[in-house]
Every structure is written in C-alpha cells, then in structure tokens.
Amino acid sequence: MSSAPLNPAPPASDFIREIVAQDNASGKFAGRVITRFPPEPNGYLHIGHAKSICLNFGLAQENAGRCHLRFDDTNPAKEDQEYVDSIMEDVRWLGFDWGEHLYYASDYFQRLYDWAVLLTGAGLAYVCDLSADQISRMRGSLTQPGTPSPHRDRPVQENLDLLERMRNGEFPDGARTLRAKIDMASPNLNLRDPVMYRIAHAEHHRTGSQWCIYPMYDWAHGQSDWIEGVTHSICTLEFENHRPLYNWFVDNIAKLGGAPANVSYRPQQSEFARLNLTYTVLSKRRLLELVKGGHVNGWDDPRMPTLSAFRRRGYTPEAIGQFARSVGVTKFDSVIDVSRLENALRDDMNRRAPRRMGVLDPLKLVIDNYPEGQSEELDAINNPEDPAAGTRKIPFSRVLYIEQDDFREIPPPKYHRLAPGQEVRLRYAFFVRCTTIVKDDQGVITEVHCTYDPATRGGDSPDGRKVKGTIHWVSAAHAVQAEVRLYDHLFNKQDPNDVPEGQSYLANLNPHSLVVAADARLEPSLKEAAAGERFQFERHGYFCVDSRDSRPLRPVFNRTVSLKDTWSKMEKKKPAS
RNA sequence: UGGGGAUUGGUGUAACGGUAGCACAGCAGACUCUGGAUCUGCUUGUCUAGGUUCGAAUCCUAGAUCCCCAGCCA
C-alpha cells in the first residue's frame, strides 16, 4: 500500500480544549496538561472509546503534555488480563503511546486503604453492617431523604478496628462495608454515605489474593487521578453527578494532610457526551451479550463495533481518528450517522488503496473471435489518485468472468452495462459487443458470447467511438478463487434498542449482516495478498485480507465498506420493470 | 417528583450581542476507461412565550422537551 500522507485534520476546538486553553492562560496547573484514558479491563474497546482516546491523547499532544493509560481494575469479578492486553493493543493501533505512564488502580490499593484509615480516624467514614438490600432501601428516593444507618455513629476506634478486620479477611463477602459519612439527605444520591469498600474474597488478576476488600470505583477514581497529577480528568456525562463526591474525597484527604507529595492541585473533571452511532449498540453489556450469545463470532467479528473488529474488517486507524475528530466534543447526547464513519474510511482508502478487479458473482463471458489458447497482458493503473502507485499487468484471454449484475438479457432503462447487441468496455482491455447467450434447461444464463474489437486494445477506440459502460472482468484461466465476505449493519434499525414492549433488541439483528460470496474470482495478483492488506475492488468497494481465516493461495476477503453506488440507488428507487 | 445536565436543518457541529456557516444525508446537473473519485447548484434550522437592546442563537424571565442519578458495577 502506498503511504500517501493523510492531511492531519486541524484539531477543531471544542469546549474542553477551550477549558484547557484557559487553564494554560491562567496558569491554573502551571502550564501542565496531564490527561488519562482510564478503561476497566472488562471488555474490548469499541469505537466510542476511540473518541475518548483521541480526545485525551490528542489534548496531551497538542499541549506538549502527556496522557496516561490507567486500568481501573477495582472489580476482580469482571476483569481479566485478556482485556488488558487487547486494550493496550488497540490504543497502540490507534497510534498513541503512553510511554512509561502505564498505571493500574490496583497499584494504589495500599494508598487508598491508608486514606480510608485516615478518613475513618477523622470520623468521616464508618463501617456499616447493613446488607446491600438494606442499604438500598434506606437510601431514600429521588424525593425522599435517606435514613441513617444504625452504625453511622459507631465510635472511631471501633470503626478502625472493624476496618482492619475487614481487610484481614475476618468477615464473609457482603457482611460489612466502609461508608463515607457525608449526608443522607443530600439531593445528590451519590453523597448519601456512599460505599467505599466492599468485601470480596476474590482473586484479582494483578494483586492475586492480597486483598479481600476492594475499593469502589468512586473511592478509587478521583484519587487515582490525583496521585498521577492528572490536571484534566475527562469523562462522560453520567459522571457529572459524581464530581462533588470525588472532590469531597480529595478535599478531605488534603485537609487531613494526606495529599500526595508533589501534587499541589486537584484534578479538574470535565464531562462530554459519549458517542452513539446509528445501527449500532455500544454498551459493554450488550456487546458481551452478542459475543456470549453467539450472535457474532467473537469480539473481533467484523460486524462488531469493537476496535479489533474494525481492524480485522479493514478500517484504518487514520480513518477512525479522522472520524473521532470530526464528530466533535460537546455535552449534547447525540447519535452520529454511521455513514460518517464509512465516509471517513472511503476518504482515506480512496487515496491509498491499490485498485484490483474482482468478480464476486461470476458469469462466463466468451469472446468468440479471440483465438483459443491465446492470452496477453494488459496494463492497469494501480491507483488513479496516486500516480506513484504505478501500473500492473493483468492477463486477458478468450474466456473471462464478469459480474452477473453486469449483464441483463432485457436491460432496464439507463442500463449502461452489457446486454444483447450492446457494446461495453472491459476495463483496461477491449470493447466487446454481446452477440448471443447460452442458457441451461432451467433457462438460466450460463454463458454470454461476444466479439471484441482488437483496435480498442487498452480500452481506447481509435475511431473515437464512445461506449456508455465500463465493466470489470477477470481471465477465467488465470483468476484466483476466493471467499469474499460482504458485511452490512449488524442491526436493521437505526436505533437497535427501539423495540416493542417486552421484546429484545436482538429482534433487530439484521439477518443479512453477512453475505458470503463463496466463489469469487479475483485477478491473479491477489493470490499472494498478505493478511490485513487492503484493496479497492473496482466498482465494488474496499476489501481487506482476513487475518484469521485466510489460507495460503486461498485468501478470504472482508468487505470493509462498499463504494457509493448510485446505480443501485436509482434501481431501488424506481424498480426497473 | 428532588438534584445534575442539555436543546441550532433529516443527522451532527460552528457562530462567544452585529450577514446563521460547515460536514454528512437528500435532490439536480457537469465530468469520467470505476454508475468510483472530482466539481457545480439546490432544499431544509436557532424548542416555546415574553422581555432587555439600534440589533439576540447568544443576555434576562417563565415554560416545554430530552438525558443522567435510588449497584456492595464502572
């Protein structure tokens, strides 16, 4: 593939970049810009994460700062090393580098515990013996204040003792929690004595059995940012209500003299709207269901919106980055049309992808006046958008394959392709005129016969004769046989979650999201295409060699995205009679 | 219902008291050895009602609608 440089899109400004610029101007963080991307390793990264990754790493790059990769691994029940590995691979694939700044919330377990002791000793946290169910019932409602736990005023010494025993494993899962003592009547439910620690005798993928109490996300997140000196802590809208809690934790720890050394400021959280895409689900829970339920073939099934799936399908990181930048950053909960993403890929690939000819649904074309047993080589341009990509030779002979779609016995109006008596150009080859057709017993066309004009070699007519259509072809004897997988949206509704009461979003699964062209014939140069290599099949779309199922000399291609097809659009609108 | 956010064409996004712009989608046309690419042109918008102002998408007041929060998930 040629390496035509992409114009790096000028990073459009947005409200977060404005905040950073203001902070730089005011000296709020002494000119520092430290961000972080904080995934929980409990699933694969998807296109929505790409938006966050591009924002956080982009901000750091633009401001000569840095961006940390931190795994928020506070819940051992859901997390796994497999996810850690995939997340690092995906972030790198997008082109970002966290350098030495790889962190884990689990690295901070001891410090968090020490801080918990500090707050407890100051009477700002207590051990609560209530069950999850009781806590829930006593939290109150949106309009009713909560009722205090009977253990809320437990003496400090007793709390300290109980906390230590929790940590030492003296109590079973769920028996006790450590809670922050804030305000059971707060209109912000997050401030109604939130749980800081729960007991879970679970094996953690990094700390093993070292701990049997695990910090809640809310108790870990703000301090993790603080410890790392994060200046701008960027997250999604649903955490807006949590900001006062993070600030409460950090401020009180600071007041008690517990601030980390060398950190003189508190991270400032800003919230933006997460990405939503039409015809796509992006919740981790849903994606897990699709995988576990066998609705797709794994996390990297090319129909999935995960980054690993986009990679396998043939998306370039540049296209995804361009898309992520183009959607902007706002607080408005919007839904982006997937065509924007597809468009970003087309844009990128149009400049870079070598062109090839491939017949997905073959129909035999016999050139009656071309000598049997003869063949010749013709020149084809590799990429009309990139002269440096040069040309290649393609073999031509008497028997070819063309696309079923490119022949009609009875052509509809404005059909520019092959039909009885019609003349078309075979791309980079000759003009041919259809003379006769051969049908089998069922009346199915098995062969199309034509004559060619030797004077039009290369595709130009010396007499200036014009032809309406140009179709692609491959030489039957030289073609490589391949499987080509044609992907479409996984769901057939713009909003997959739009289902009648009681029905599952799975009812909106598109049964035609994968159509296999099992007997495609491709030009011979594709025989040795390497896994992951990308091409444009002329008049079809962009394709990528599948890295999982391809075999030597028997490649499998994934269609990344089709070319814009105005003819099929016309036909759909006004079905030909 | 308490609290926190939000609202600009079909979908997104800009305009920071001074001509409502851009992208995608749609429509029409030009060009073309990919019905691709490219290039033209067109349609469609400031949630509502009041107010301030020479002038309001922007400021004020009231209302409407949508999203988030009652996990020992993140």
Side-chain angles (χ1 to χ4, degrees):
Chain A
M1 180 171 303
S2 80
S3 55
L6 283 169
N7 319 332
S13 192
D14 51 63
F15 80 98
I16 290 184
R17 278 177 241 260
E18 276 171 23
I19 289 171
V20 171
Q22 275 166 24
D23 292 342
N24 284 342
S26 72
K28 178 170 178 179
F29 299 110
R32 261 182 293 243
V33 175
I34 303 172
T35 58
R36 100 270 96 113
F37 174 62
E40 184 193 14
N42 70 342
Y44 280 64
L45 257 29
H46 56 66
I47 184 78
H49 293 111
K51 177 179 177 183
S52 173
I53 292 166
C54 291
L55 212 210
N56 278 297
F57 279 92
L59 230 28
Q61 279 173 359
E62 292 154 28
N63 292 283
R66 61 177 204 249
C67 181
H68 302 176
L69 176 63
R70 182 181 67 241
F71 289 96
D72 271 339
D73 53 352
T74 55
N75 185 1
K78 292 188 176 173
E79 295 151 7
D80 199 278
Q81 186 62 36
E82 175 197 355
Y83 299 125
V84 171
D85 296 339
S86 75
I87 288 168
M88 292 199 283
E89 184 184 4
D90 288 345
V91 175
R92 279 198 204 98
W93 178 67
L94 283 178
F96 296 109
D97 181 11
W98 52 87
E100 58 194 326
H101 300 285
L102 172 65
Y103 303 106
Y104 295 82
S106 54
D107 291 339
Y108 311 137
F109 280 175
Q110 183 60 47
R111 296 180 80 168
L112 289 167
Y113 180 78
D114 293 342
W115 276 333
V117 171
L118 186 68
L119 291 188
T120 305
L124 292 174
Y126 61 96
V127 173
C128 180
D129 305 351
L130 258 25
S131 70
D133 203 45
Q134 288 170 312
I135 287 181
S136 169
R137 275 199 304 269
M138 294 173 74
R139 187 149 20 226
S141 72
L142 295 180
T143 49
Q144 299 291 310
T147 48
S149 161
H151 316 108
R152 195 168 202 265
D153 292 315
R154 186 119 74 179
V156 166
Q157 268 317 313
E158 193 181 329
N159 282 324
L160 255 10
D161 174 61
L162 252 15
L163 175 57
E164 189 177 343
R165 291 169 59 198
M166 275 170 66
R167 192 236 148 106
N168 290 342
E170 290 187 29
F171 311 116
D173 289 5
R176 287 185 161 86
T177 56
L178 182 73
R179 294 227 257 164
K181 193 168 173 179
I182 308 181
D183 179 5
M184 286 306 290
S186 172
N188 181 343
L189 268 38
N190 294 121
L191 265 22
R192 317 245 263 228
D193 289 12
V195 171
M196 296 161 64
Y197 277 103
R198 74 286 217 182
I199 300 172
H201 294 266
E203 187 81 3
H204 185 281
H205 65 102
R206 296 193 75 244
T207 61
S209 54
Q210 205 180 324
W211 294 86
C212 64
I213 58 172
Y214 288 94
M216 297 292 291
Y217 174 83
D218 278 351
W219 168 242
H221 191 78
Q223 295 97 289
S224 299
D225 283 345
W226 199 28
I227 289 167
E228 294 174 17
V230 167
T231 56
H232 301 271
S233 176
I234 296 160
C235 63
T236 44
L237 255 25
E238 69 269 29
F239 294 105
E240 211 153 11
N241 293 334
H242 296 239
R243 191 180 346 126
L245 176 57
Y246 303 156
N247 291 345
W248 188 93
F249 282 140
V250 165
D251 288 346
N252 278 294
I253 292 167
K255 232 177 272 172
L256 296 169
N262 309 321
V263 180
S264 55
Y265 51 85
R266 185 178 78 191
Q268 172 188 301
Q269 176 171 299
S270 300
E271 307 85 8
F272 71 98
R274 56 158 21 106
L275 177 73
N276 298 294
L277 275 183
T278 55
Y279 300 103
T280 310
V281 295
L282 287 180
S283 94
K284 276 194 185 178
R285 210 189 99 229
R286 299 255 132 120
L287 297 181
L288 223 207
E289 275 170 17
L290 289 170
V291 172
K292 301 280 182 209
H295 304 288
V296 295
N297 304 312
W299 286 100
D300 67 348
D301 183 305
R303 292 167 295 182
M304 289 284 277
T306 55
L307 295 178
S308 52
F310 279 120
R311 176 165 60 240
R312 183 174 168 197
R313 181 157 168 169
Y315 268 80
T316 60
E318 290 83 358
I320 287 177
Q322 176 53 41
F323 168 74
R325 279 185 294 275
S326 80
V327 298
V329 180
T330 68
K331 300 193 75 138
F332 180 61
D333 193 16
S334 61
V335 183
I336 307 290
D337 199 319
V338 259
S339 69
R340 294 272 299 274
L341 213 210
E342 296 168 350
N343 202 57
L345 194 266
R346 288 194 190 101
D347 235 38
D348 186 14
M349 293 305 279
N350 180 47
R351 270 172 289 178
R352 308 160 73 184
R355 312 293 127 121
R356 294 292 183 266
M357 290 200 283
V359 175
L360 269 30
D361 196 5
L363 173 64
K364 193 177 276 186
L365 182 82
V366 181
I367 301 168
D368 291 322
N369 62 338
Y370 193 90
E372 232 158 315
Q374 183 178 313
S375 74
E376 62 191 292
E377 289 197 313
L378 299 162
D379 290 307
I381 294 166
N382 282 329
N383 184 350
E385 306 291 320
D386 178 16
T391 62
R392 69 187 183 285
K393 300 283 189 192
I394 44 178
F396 183 87
S397 63
R398 187 168 191 267
V399 181
L400 313 174
Y401 287 114
I402 63 168
E403 213 66 62
Q404 294 269 4
D405 245 13
D406 285 339
F407 178 82
R408 293 290 170 84
E409 187 176 7
I410 303 162
K414 296 196 175 161
Y415 186 79
H416 295 165
R417 285 115 97 146
L418 202 57
Q422 295 262 12
E423 186 172 50
V424 297
R425 172 169 35 235
L426 296 176
R427 178 86 156 147
Y428 297 127
F430 298 93
F431 285 14
V432 292
R433 186 180 296 280
C434 174
T435 52
T436 55
I437 55 179
V438 179
K439 294 183 181 179
D440 65 12
D441 305 342
Q442 326 290 329
V444 176
I445 299 169
T446 55
E447 283 180 15
V448 172
H449 285 251
C450 52
T451 56
Y452 84 116
D453 177 357
T456 57
R457 190 175 198 277
D460 293 306
S461 59
D463 61 3
R465 174 164 107 251
K466 296 270 188 218
V467 96
K468 278 263 188 58
T470 299
I471 64 174
H472 61 274
W473 53 275
V474 295
S475 168
H478 303 85
V480 48
Q481 206 177 347
E483 175 178 328
V484 178
R485 299 173 180 171
L486 307 174
Y487 295 104
D488 197 357
H489 304 145
L490 222 206
F491 294 92
N492 50 26
K493 252 205 172 141
Q494 283 212 8
D495 176 8
N497 292 314
D498 177 19
V499 282
E501 234 353 87
Q503 269 202 53
S504 159
Y505 70 102
L506 294 170
N508 286 329
L509 243 12
N510 174 8
H512 310 296
S513 59
L514 170 57
V515 172
V516 177
D519 189 30
R521 306 301 169 101
L522 314 176
E523 65 168 84
S525 67
L526 256 8
K527 201 172 301 180
E528 268 107 36
E533 215 175 334
R534 294 178 271 249
F535 302 93
Q536 182 195 102
F537 292 177
E538 293 208 18
R539 302 209 301 135
H540 279 301
Y542 297 100
F543 294 79
C544 175
V545 180
D546 189 82
S547 45
R548 194 179 288 286
D549 298 331
S550 293
R551 297 288 171 267
L553 305 184
R554 187 64 203 257
V556 172
F557 282 86
N558 296 319
R559 183 174 67 195
T560 315
V561 70
S562 64
L563 251 21
K564 285 188 193 161
D565 185 353
T566 47
W567 167 248
S568 75
K569 206 194 272 180
M570 275 164 63
E571 259 204 323
K572 243 177 252 168
K573 218 175 0 180
K574 215 184 228 168
S577 50

